[in-house]
Amino acid sequence: LVATPGSNRAVAGYDLVSAMVSTGFQDHYETGFTLSREAVTGFSFGASYTFSRTRDNWLVSWSGDPSDALSPFPEDRLGDEWAEGVSDFDIPHRAVVLAGWRTPGRVPVSVGARYRFRSGLPFTPGFRPGVDANADGSGRNDPAFVDDAIPGLGQLISDNSCLSDQVGKIAERNSCREQANHALDLSAAVGLPVRSLGGRLELTIEVFNVASTPVGVVDRALVLVDPAGTMTTDPQGNVTLPLIANPRFGKFLSRRSEPRMVRFGLRVAY
């Protein structure tokens, strides 16, 4: 869905006119704690948690197309801009828990495990790429209007808490999130009896992502243009699109798992 070529140009003869202004900002704060016990032999453990918030007013264009970084509402009043909100880089919760055991002796053996967690990345409920609902020249930056009268949207609102307080409004920027990410790593080490190094040489093996949450490209389209419907235009030029709810909202368009990696090494302890 695109505008009639040339009909949406603000400056005749130019497809896109851009200007650089010093009104961008990003506010970030975080707090956290770390608790650990490190023992030469026996049981060791550690835990850390970080809480953070990041807000800004710059729209990231992952596609590299400058038009995708445009605000869909260029006439917003200063101080009340739709683009001011949760940053594309906002990850509010991050945590790591690790534990290990090490035996005494000239040939020590140690084993360990590490669990990692982070919040999912935020995204804006909108349309599928290529749908330029506001005719600004970008088919990737349009938020959806959360209308429970759209067929099937009532069920999506019930299933997604991020939509429940936005009914009857344009979806806020980055108001929904992908699922949280979990991962488990394992490690082991064996001391080598090398006299010249005093037994401080170790053979190590580490396995990353033994178990991990699937990741991928999430379907951010809240609504779809119904191919069986009819697009209408009233005498004032207002266009009405035939919309239906997207049953795959928030699910993977392209799914993959984090690669499982095995790393061998030699470590000298001091």
Side-chain angles (χ1 to χ4, degrees), residues 88-111:
D88 292 357
F89 305 104
D90 182 59
I91 301 178
H93 304 287
R94 285 168 289 174
V96 175
V97 177
L98 52 89
W101 180 269
R102 183 179 177 87
T103 64
R106 292 186 57 221
V107 186
V109 176
S110 59
V111 292

Side-chain angles (χ1 to χ4, degrees), residues 163-184:
L163 302 173
S164 59
D165 60 348
Q166 302 193 76
V167 177
K169 300 187 296 184
I170 294 288
E172 296 178 5
R173 179 188 170 206
N174 286 334
S175 52
C176 291
R177 284 190 180 274
E178 301 173 3
Q179 64 178 328
N181 185 272
H182 306 260
L184 176 66

Side-chain angles (χ1 to χ4, degrees), residues 28-164:
H28 173 83
Y29 65 85
E30 68 178 39
T31 183
F33 71 87
T34 298
L35 178 67
S36 65
R37 177 186 185 272
E38 298 182 13
V40 176
T41 59
F43 180 67
S44 298
F45 69 88
S48 66
Y49 168 78
T50 301
F51 172 80
S52 65
R53 277 286 187 263
T54 307
R55 293 178 62 87
D56 59 34
N57 67 344
W58 29 291
L59 308 178
V60 176
S61 174
W62 302 109
S63 69
D65 186 341
S67 65
D68 293 344
L70 295 174
S71 169
F73 307 106
E75 296 183 1
D76 278 353
R77 293 177 299 175
L78 291 175
D80 190 30
E81 297 171 291
W82 177 87
E84 293 187 12
V86 176
S87 170
D88 292 357
F89 305 104
D90 182 59
I91 301 178
H93 304 287
R94 285 168 289 174
V96 175
V97 177
L98 52 89
W101 180 269
R102 183 179 177 87
T103 64
R106 292 186 57 221
V107 186
V109 176
S110 59
V111 292
R114 177 176 56 209
Y115 166 76
R116 295 177 280 121
F117 167 86
R118 68 165 175 81
S119 300
L121 292 172
F123 67 91
T124 304
F127 296 84
R128 284 270 173 84
V131 178
D132 186 9
N134 66 348
D136 66 348
S138 170
R140 293 177 181 267
N141 70 339
D142 299 349
F145 185 81
V146 186
D147 184 357
D148 55 3
I150 294 175
L153 199 57
Q155 185 61 49
L156 285 183
I157 294 172
S158 299
D159 295 342
N160 296 271
S161 59
C162 63
L163 302 173
S164 59

Side-chain angles (χ1 to χ4, degrees), residues 40-42 99-113 185-193 199-207 262-269:
V40 176
T41 59
W101 180 269
R102 183 179 177 87
T103 64
R106 292 186 57 221
V107 186
V109 176
S110 59
V111 292
D185 309 322
L186 300 178
S187 63
V190 178
L192 301 180
R200 294 191 296 268
L201 184 64
E202 293 182 333
L203 175 65
T204 64
I205 178 173
E206 296 172 284
V207 184
V262 180
R263 182 170 67 186
F264 297 91
L266 286 173
R267 179 170 60 201
V268 179

